[in-house]
Amino acid sequence: MPIAETPEVMTTQRKLYIESYGCAMNFSDSEIIASIMGEHGFATTQDEFDADVIFLNTCAIRDNAEQRIRERLKHLRSNKKQNRDLIIGVLGCMAERLKDKLLEEEKLVDVVAGPDSYRELPKLVAEVDDGGRAINVLLSREETYGDLNPVRLNTNGVSAFISIMRGCDNMCSFCVVPFTRGRERSRDPQSIVHEAKELEAAGYKEITLLGQNVDSYLWFGGGPKKEFKTLTEEEKAMSVDFANLLEMTALAVPGMRIRYSTSHPRDITEKVVLTMAKYDNICNYIHLPAQSGSSRVLEAMNRNYSREWYMDKITMIRNILPDCGVTSDIISGFCTETEEEHLETLSLMEWSQFDYSYMYKYSERPGTPAAKKFTDDVSEETKSRRLQEIIVLQNAISKAKHHAYIGKVVEVLIESESKRSSEEWKGRNDQNIVTVFPKGNYQKGDFVKVLVESATTTTLQGKAVG
Ligand code: SAH
Ligand code: SF4
Ligand code: F3S
């Protein structure tokens, strides 16, 4: 009997592995990428060695973010040795910043695609299949991917991101985002509400509405950002601002928690904070990056607000929502920052009592207004020392703020098992503070009242009380 040859299993599904870097918007974009590629026959895999296509969805915000990607690309050389047909793509902000330079510098990269060209990805991959290398870094004034159904990646099944806008028109002098993500545009609110409802139907319990400057969200029919006062009467009649959008979402999915990020101190309005106060399901949490405590530095940063303006906004928030969690971003050693100005940052932090801050050393980004206008003149040593002082102060504030929760009952949405113990759940309270407690009979996705018994710089610990 002839030995039968094992018939080759013909699978048309190719596999895509996506790795995401940077901010939540980039992680959210990866879900759009997975959706677009899914419609063209690509299934996502969690195993990079199983992949036919590897996409790195990159960040360019600081130099070290880009160095990480370069290191990762070096490692991917061996994947390519093992699988000669493997296609490697660099997507996102670093792709947009470096454009074709990336193909010249990193010989193993086959595809370069910027944040507004993801609908073209299947075509770009097909070009590589045909033996070429492919690039599309065109930025759009309209694209919001609003009609797409994101494929949830690495999800805990409890919380999900929804992008409500793209790009940024702000031109903070240190920032590369306006160059990598293009002009600001808002997404159709109906598609946002629809996505929230679909997440609810799929069992999700929390959504975070995402934009670089959510307070400037304004729907008037689509297209590049306009100020409200410049809208036609017809556009005004159909317009939806961020407070309206928050309200629409809160009403559409009353059983879900709603968060959002990022607010801009210049643009945050009382109307938004009052809307938060009106709806229980909108979390009492605002990420309001100060960047610096010195009005002179803020002006050099082109942030369009002063120290006093920032303090007024914090006061407004605390008057309306006394128990609101507030977090910040701080940059140490921006060009020309003096020691006194650094001390002003520390005193603003002290005054504001942030629950947490994301703290960075200034990293000059080529082509930004700051790189053109100023010299990066604060030494590395001084930047590091100032950053250290900022971190030490923030840790002390976080610890004290968390200790103040001891003896109080907080509501926690269970997200996953605690990393430290398989006997404990981990979730967040209303103010976005990580809270850990023994599992009992509770399940992932439950809202649980937890009595806080102890606290650290990063976490609350307690026990369920119903
Ligand atoms: N849209 C948000 C910020 C997005 S970038 C906002 O306006 O607040 C996230 C944070 O990275 C910024 O808030 C800032 O603190 C930091 N950042 C941006 N560019 C930087 C740079 N060149 N060097 C150091 N930190 C930077
Ligand atoms: Fe960058 Fe400023 Fe836009 Fe934030 S608001 S993304 S810091 S330019
Ligand atoms: Fe986000 Fe980094 Fe781009 S922070 S917008 S991924 S530069």
Side-chain angles (χ1 to χ4, degrees):
M1 228 171 85
I3 301 166
E5 271 186 31
T6 321
E8 265 200 44
V9 185
M10 286 294 293
T11 60
T12 48
Q13 275 229 313
R14 293 164 80 189
K15 299 233 178 79
L16 166 67
Y17 174 81
I18 311 182
E19 217 164 73
S20 310
Y21 296 82
C23 64
M25 301 210 63
N26 229 30
F27 281 72
S28 169
D29 278 3
S30 293
E31 304 189 327
I32 288 164
I33 293 163
S35 162
I36 292 167
M37 295 297 284
E39 281 172 19
H40 289 79
F42 284 83
T44 47
T45 170
Q46 310 273 7
D47 177 4
E48 62 178 89
F49 296 102
D50 189 31
D52 304 289
V53 176
I54 295 181
F55 285 158
L56 303 185
N57 191 9
T58 62
C59 174
I61 200 83
R62 285 166 290 276
D63 184 57
N64 57 11
E66 290 194 358
Q67 292 317 324
R68 249 181 99 195
I69 307 291
R70 292 191 192 279
E71 285 305 309
R72 184 64 180 122
L73 284 170
K74 275 189 202 136
H75 279 107
L76 286 176
R77 253 178 242 283
S78 61
N79 297 45
K80 206 145 181 166
K81 275 198 193 118
Q82 280 172 32
N83 172 5
R84 279 194 305 124
D85 295 329
L86 176 66
I87 293 175
I88 295 179
V90 176
L91 279 44
C93 292
M94 187 178 171
E96 189 63 51
R97 192 180 85 74
L98 293 171
K99 304 188 170 54
D100 46 0
K101 272 198 220 125
L102 204 52
L103 289 179
E104 287 157 25
E105 289 170 20
E106 302 287 344
K107 298 289 179 212
L108 82 165
V109 174
D110 305 295
V111 174
V112 172
D116 287 342
S117 65
Y118 296 150
R119 287 185 205 265
E120 295 294 305
L121 280 170
K123 211 174 87 192
L124 298 177
V125 168
E127 281 175 36
V128 179
D129 288 337
D130 289 342
R133 297 211 286 166
I135 176 164
N136 187 331
V137 286
L138 287 177
L139 287 172
S140 155
R141 291 165 76 89
E142 277 94 29
E143 180 66 90
T144 62
Y145 303 111
D147 56 317
L148 295 175
N149 230 339
V151 171
R152 304 293 159 189
L153 299 170
N154 305 322
T155 170
N156 57 17
V158 176
S159 45
F161 295 130
I162 302 184
S163 284
I164 63 164
M165 58 208 295
R166 299 184 70 80
C168 184
D169 279 358
N170 270 352
M171 281 291 174
C172 301
S173 63
F174 51 79
C175 184
V176 78
V177 172
F179 303 92
T180 62
R181 299 220 153 223
R183 297 298 301 275
E184 183 183 314
R185 62 224 103 122
S186 295
R187 176 178 167 190
D188 184 341
Q190 295 305 336
S191 77
I192 296 168
V193 167
H194 176 76
E195 192 172 332
K197 283 188 171 156
E198 292 217 318
L199 285 164
E200 185 185 44
Y204 284 80
K205 298 291 166 63
E206 179 178 83
I207 50 179
T208 304
L209 306 177
L210 295 178
Q212 292 297 358
N213 177 2
V214 290
D215 304 293
S216 116
Y217 174 90
L218 185 63
W219 174 257
F220 49 87
K225 174 184 166 166
K226 288 189 203 167
E227 297 299 330
F228 183 79
K229 55 180 184 289
T230 68
L231 301 185
T232 63
E233 287 311 311
E234 197 186 335
E235 286 172 334
K236 273 187 187 157
M238 70 180 303
S239 69
V240 174
D241 66 14
F242 183 59
N244 303 143
L245 177 72
L246 262 185
E247 181 157 49
M248 284 166 72
T249 319
L251 289 169
V253 288
M256 289 180 103
R257 264 186 179 181
I258 295 158
R259 299 187 184 279
Y260 63 87
S261 189
T262 298
S263 302
H264 193 293
R266 187 199 54 207
D267 296 329
I268 188 170
T269 60
E270 201 168 53
K271 187 175 166 195
V272 164
V273 185
L274 288 170
T275 308
M276 294 171 71
K278 190 167 163 196
Y279 294 97
D280 272 354
N281 60 330
I282 306 178
C283 288
N284 284 329
Y285 170 65
I286 300 179
H287 184 53
L288 193 70
Q291 313 296 1
S292 165
S294 149
S295 294
R296 210 234 9 121
V297 173
L298 287 168
E299 197 181 334
M301 287 176 163
N302 196 29
R303 287 288 286 181
N304 283 305
Y305 55 85
S306 62
R307 175 189 176 94
E308 291 68 34
W309 174 279
Y310 187 88
M311 292 165 95
D312 283 350
K313 294 295 170 176
I314 295 277
T315 305
M316 180 270 285
I317 293 166
R318 302 239 191 261
N319 282 342
I320 299 172
L321 296 171
D323 66 345
C324 190
V326 179
T327 56
S328 179
D329 294 348
I330 303 285
I331 297 178
S332 84
F334 183 66
C335 318
T336 71
E337 183 189 70
T338 65
E339 201 56 30
E340 289 72 41
E341 289 164 343
H342 162 62
L343 294 176
E344 284 187 87
T345 296
L346 295 179
S347 72
L348 181 73
M349 292 172 67
E350 187 99 55
W351 183 88
S352 304
Q353 291 288 301
F354 301 125
D355 296 74
Y356 183 75
S357 291
Y358 299 86
M359 302 159 278
Y360 313 101
K361 273 191 274 188
Y362 172 60
S363 164
E364 185 177 83
R365 308 312 290 131
T368 54
K372 288 186 186 153
K373 229 171 20 185
F374 305 116
T375 317
D376 183 9
D377 58 357
V378 178
S379 71
E380 195 52 32
E381 197 189 343
T382 303
K383 278 181 192 169
S384 298
R385 196 248 311 144
R386 289 182 187 166
L387 177 65
Q388 201 47 38
E389 289 172 11
I390 288 168
I391 293 173
V392 167
L393 173 61
Q394 183 56 59
N395 285 348
I397 296 172
S398 298
K399 197 169 172 188
K401 292 214 76 169
H402 293 175
H403 270 258
Y405 278 97
I406 295 175
K408 290 188 182 155
V409 173
V410 296
E411 188 181 65
V412 179
L413 169 61
I414 301 177
E415 288 170 21
S416 59
E417 204 164 74
S418 145
K419 277 199 198 102
R420 248 193 7 205
S421 158
S422 60
E423 307 291 304
E424 288 180 330
W425 288 125
K426 171 187 149 276
R428 281 161 207 275
N429 74 352
D430 202 16
Q431 289 79 2
N432 210 31
I433 306 171
V434 172
T435 310
V436 179
F437 61 96
K439 278 186 174 171
N441 291 325
Y442 298 99
Q443 304 297 322
K444 202 165 83 165
D446 285 350
F447 290 96
V448 185
K449 298 259 186 276
V450 174
L451 172 67
V452 179
E453 295 173 316
S454 64
T456 68
T457 312
T458 54
T459 316
L460 307 178
Q461 278 130 354
K463 65 171 183 220
V465 289

